[in-house]
Amino acid sequence: MTPSERRALLWVAGILLLAAGVRHQAEAGHDHGAVGSGLDLADSLLSEAEAKLYEDQVRARPVDPADPLDLNQVDGVHLDRLPGVGPALAERIVADRTLNGPFRRVEDLLRVPGIGPVTLARIRPLVRVR
């Protein structure tokens, strides 16, 4: 298990413990209105923890060159899997696509601030444009 995976699991475990505590407190309370709002909070925390765990699992998987990512289809979580592309750059790629329209070719990534020739060469085998 990598340090990133360990941190993610600890974060999720903490959220789950917090959600369980909120749920327990809500169920133990005598005010039924408080029970409902406490359960809603617990469910919200649980959903957030599950989403975070899913994102961390996706980010932990390397991109398979035999199955490159389509730059016009994937979200920032999947783009973050590319070498040299972190969460901020992945979101800039998505924002650029939203603002300027789909990429027509992989080289169009050069229009995204933070992507230069070196980064493009590194990720070129792992992405495609349909």
Side-chain angles (χ1 to χ4, degrees), residues 26-72:
E27 290 173 348
H30 298 290
D31 180 5
H32 293 293
V35 171
S37 64
L39 293 178
D40 290 342
L41 177 60
D43 289 341
S44 174
L45 289 171
L46 184 58
S47 294
E48 186 178 324
E50 289 171 344
K52 175 74 171 145
L53 182 58
Y54 169 76
E55 286 182 9
D56 289 340
Q57 289 172 338
V58 169
R59 283 186 169 105
R61 288 192 323 258
V63 179
D64 182 359
D67 186 23
L69 301 177
D70 186 335
L71 291 173
N72 292 320

Side-chain angles (χ1 to χ4, degrees), residues 59-129:
R59 283 186 169 105
R61 288 192 323 258
V63 179
D64 182 359
D67 186 23
L69 301 177
D70 186 335
L71 291 173
N72 292 320
Q73 299 296 319
V74 297
D75 61 13
V77 173
H78 286 82
L79 290 169
D80 185 16
R81 297 168 51 204
L82 295 167
V85 176
L89 183 52
E91 291 307 320
R92 281 199 304 273
I93 293 169
V94 172
D96 180 275
R97 182 179 69 207
T98 301
L99 185 64
N100 299 311
F103 297 100
R104 293 189 179 145
R105 50 197 188 107
V106 173
E107 291 77 17
D108 289 347
L109 279 173
L110 291 171
R111 72 186 191 204
V112 178
I115 295 190
V118 172
T119 302
L120 181 63
R122 186 182 307 136
I123 66 176
R124 180 187 296 278
L126 303 173
V127 295
R128 68 172 179 213
V129 175

